[in-house]
């Protein structure tokens, strides 16, 4: 089992890697963090108010706080919701 990432390691992954995201294990859920196609730091998390997972923007300082407070690990993007971001743009073109 790999060790939890430091804040610097986690930041380097989201800044430099298109192949990996950072999975923050908060005890009752796992939040996945990566940069979207516009370079914005984005978290895939469960939103209690709507009862589903959503991709939301996250600040650099909040991301660093999550990594310090919880267990952060490197995860492949291909196994995350970030892999489907671009594919969603073409879904449903044959509705007629």
């Amino acid at each position: 089992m790999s060790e939890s990432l430091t804040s610097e390691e986690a930041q380097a992954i989201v800044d430099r890697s298109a192949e990996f995201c950072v999975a923050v294990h908060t005890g009752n859920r796992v939040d996945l963090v990566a940069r979207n196609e516009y370079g914005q730091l984005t978290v895939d998390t469960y939103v209690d108010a709507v009862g589903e997972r959503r991709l939301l923007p996250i600040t650099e300082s909040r991301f660093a706080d999550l990594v310090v407070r919880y267990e952060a690990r490197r995860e492949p993007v291909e196994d995350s919701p970030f892999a489907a971001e671009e594919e969603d743009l073409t879904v449903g073109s044959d509705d007629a």
Side-chain angles (χ1 to χ4, degrees):
M1 190 166 178
S2 62
E3 290 185 25
S4 185
L5 298 170
T6 66
S7 184
E8 293 81 15
E9 291 168 333
Q11 190 67 47
I13 289 170
V14 296
D15 286 346
R16 299 185 189 113
S17 179
E19 297 176 19
F20 293 98
C21 61
V22 174
V24 180
H25 298 258
T26 62
N28 58 348
R29 70 175 193 264
V30 177
D31 292 343
L32 301 172
V33 181
R35 293 207 181 268
N36 65 18
E37 65 270 17
Y38 306 107
Q40 182 180 34
L41 202 54
T42 307
V43 61
D44 171 68
T45 189
Y46 186 80
V47 180
D48 291 328
V50 293
E52 61 186 40
R53 290 189 72 85
R54 295 250 174 114
L55 289 171
L56 303 172
I58 186 173
T59 64
E60 305 281 338
S61 61
R62 177 67 179 137
F63 174 56
D65 180 55
L66 287 174
V67 171
V68 169
R69 290 177 53 197
Y70 300 106
E71 181 180 340
R73 301 199 182 275
R74 184 177 74 159
E75 298 283 338
V77 168
E78 64 189 25
D79 298 336
S80 77
F82 299 108
E85 245 179 26
E86 292 178 12
E87 295 172 14
D88 288 345
L89 299 176
T90 60
V91 173
S93 59
D94 294 341
D95 290 344

